[in-house]
Amino acid sequence: VSTQSTWQGIMQEYDNVKGTLKRLSEKWKSRKEAQGPEDIVHDEMMNVLKVNDLAQFKKMMSSSPQDLKGLINKANKDGQTLLHVAAKKGYDDFVKYLLSLGADCRAKDLLGRTPQKLASSLKNRSTEKILEEYERFGVLIIPKS
């Protein structure tokens, strides 16, 4: 194999990868442009949750509770709701708050997992217990301190 043919092969592969990246970038850009205001707000809610900033989340909710409450059970591209993400991360205070807002503890993601099953599989025991009790009794059980 000549050096020239090797370089030609490398350059052809580079062009293929470059073209694929360009197409993916254009697809991502058009997807972002196609997002409505509701999607943008939901993404922001997810971002605040992912950094475990419950105070900021509550502030967002208090600014427009009726509009945002409808987004509590909206799923992301993986079929996960805010409650799934909070359960996955083991954010107990977020889980309790989302349940108090009417989050659906029986919602299933694209893999068929409820928030409780997700918490269980990731060994988030306290979160799992909160969700288990909520599912069983339909109310948050908060022990007296």
Side-chain angles (χ1 to χ4, degrees):
V1 178
S2 73
T3 305
Q4 185 176 359
S5 64
T6 302
W7 275 110
Q8 286 174 339
I10 290 170
M11 291 306 294
Q12 185 176 358
E13 188 61 31
Y14 171 77
D15 288 339
N16 290 342
V17 170
K18 188 173 157 184
T20 300
L21 289 173
K22 184 177 180 182
R23 282 189 303 280
L24 287 172
S25 175
E26 288 167 1
K27 185 177 179 180
W28 177 255
K29 184 179 176 186
S30 67
R31 180 180 171 269
K32 279 296 197 185
E33 289 170 356
Q35 279 190 321
E38 182 179 281
D39 296 318
I40 294 168
V41 171
H42 186 259
D43 286 351
E44 182 60 25
M45 291 169 78
M46 279 286 190
N47 291 335
V48 170
L49 179 135
K50 287 176 182 176
V51 296
N52 198 20
D53 191 346
L54 184 57
Q56 178 62 28
F57 194 89
K58 285 180 176 182
K59 189 175 177 183
M60 287 174 71
M61 290 303 297
S62 68
S63 68
S64 186
Q66 290 310 107
D67 296 336
L68 298 181
K69 199 168 182 183
L71 299 177
I72 294 298
N73 290 311
K74 181 176 172 56
N76 64 15
K77 66 181 176 19
D78 300 319
Q80 294 185 346
T81 64
L82 293 162
L83 188 57
H84 280 92
V85 175
K88 178 169 54 175
K89 295 196 170 273
Y91 295 162
D92 293 351
D93 290 337
F94 250 113
V95 167
K96 291 174 188 173
Y97 184 66
L98 291 168
L99 289 170
S100 76
L101 294 174
D104 183 1
C105 66
R106 292 183 176 96
K108 293 183 179 181
D109 66 12
L110 295 179
L111 298 176
R113 300 172 299 186
T114 63
Q116 180 190 347
K117 295 293 181 195
L118 197 54
S120 175
S121 70
L122 295 170
K123 311 251 186 288
N124 294 332
R125 299 293 181 226
S126 60
T127 306
E128 178 186 10
K129 185 175 180 183
I130 291 166
L131 290 163
E132 180 182 306
E133 289 177 353
Y134 186 82
E135 192 168 336
R136 184 180 307 144
F137 301 111
V139 294
L140 284 173
I141 299 174
I142 302 169
K144 292 183 180 179
S145 301

